[in-house]
Amino acid sequence: MAIETATAQMPPRPMRADARRNYERLLAEARTAFTQHGTDASLEDIARRAGVGIGTLYRHFPNRTALMGAVFQGEICALLERSRELAKAPRPCQALIDWLRAIVDHASTYRGLSRALMACSADETSELSRGCGLPLREAGSELLARAQQSGAVRSDVVIADLMQLTNAIALAVEQSPDDPELADRLLALAFTGLKAR
């Protein structure tokens, strides 16, 4: 039992230099592919462009959602930092709207991301949910609670519903690239229904 506990607490071994280079190339190529072709981009093409075999891709990222989670980690960190800044804003409701707008902007960078986030919301064990969905939901919960405590947002609104609504808005924006005002209109419409009476 003591051996199992000690093994469980050992930090992961650092990657060899060549493995680290492959990992970084895969991330860079995946980021480019997801931006240009959406999150359904071919994993085989990503591996080929990174100069590695598909087996190497799967050794680093066991499935598409693991790769997506790794690619989006930087943006997620930026969104979490933005939520911490907005948590100090004097107008809690506007802070919540601004943060949700930032999520829509992020999701619209990668075609298919909002659909993937909506799908993973029911599976908290997926890499995409653990790395993206859950941290965003936790950050959003704090901003929502502030807006509710200020009396600006109804007390029965829950963050899971609000995140699904935000992802649906991002999906609508993705489908309407010729309408740059759509996200703001839909968010304003959504918040009309969320306001406390």
Side-chain angles (χ1 to χ4, degrees):
M1 190 70 157
I3 292 173
E4 289 176 14
T5 305
T7 304
Q9 294 176 352
M10 288 177 55
R13 288 188 343 207
M15 280 189 219
R16 294 185 334 248
D18 60 332
R20 170 58 65 187
R21 282 192 299 274
N22 288 343
Y23 180 88
E24 296 299 335
R25 282 198 309 263
L26 284 164
L27 279 182
E29 290 301 333
R31 185 172 287 110
T32 299
F34 291 162
T35 302
Q36 293 175 349
H37 308 292
T39 57
D40 292 331
S42 164
L43 297 183
E44 289 81 6
D45 285 347
I46 291 169
R48 183 178 44 75
R49 289 180 182 186
V52 300
I54 191 68
T56 299
L57 184 146
Y58 283 120
R59 270 193 299 281
H60 288 291
F61 310 102
N63 52 47
R64 181 179 298 275
T65 57
L67 178 59
M68 289 168 60
V71 166
F72 305 140
Q73 195 58 52
E75 286 98 340
I76 296 304
C77 289
L79 285 169
L80 296 177
E81 178 58 32
R82 181 73 176 127
S83 76
R84 287 188 286 274
E85 293 169 4
L86 289 168
K88 302 170 191 160
R91 296 171 48 213
C93 187
Q94 187 60 51
L96 178 61
I97 293 170
D98 290 348
W99 189 70
L100 295 175
R101 181 64 163 100
I103 291 175
V104 170
D105 290 343
H106 163 63
S108 65
T109 304
Y110 302 100
R111 192 173 68 250
L113 176 57
S114 53
R115 187 176 58 244
L117 287 171
M118 289 174 80
C120 84
S121 68
D123 179 11
E124 294 186 356
T125 64
S126 80
E127 288 90 346
L128 189 59
S129 183
R130 283 195 320 262
C132 298
L134 291 175
L136 291 177
R137 196 178 306 165
E138 288 172 13
S141 291
E142 294 177 25
L143 293 171
L144 175 60
R146 284 187 73 229
Q148 289 170 322
Q149 289 164 3
S150 75
V153 174
R154 292 175 11 202
S155 61
D156 62 340
V157 176
V158 295
I159 193 60
D161 292 346
L162 192 53
M163 295 302 290
Q164 286 289 69
L165 181 60
T166 302
N167 284 319
I169 290 171
L171 187 57
V173 169
E174 177 185 308
Q175 300 298 317
S176 305
D178 297 331
D179 188 352
E181 307 299 320
L182 182 61
D184 292 324
R185 288 198 318 272
L186 291 177
L187 281 169
L189 186 60
F191 269 87
T192 299
L194 297 175
K195 284 185 179 177
R197 290 183 173 82

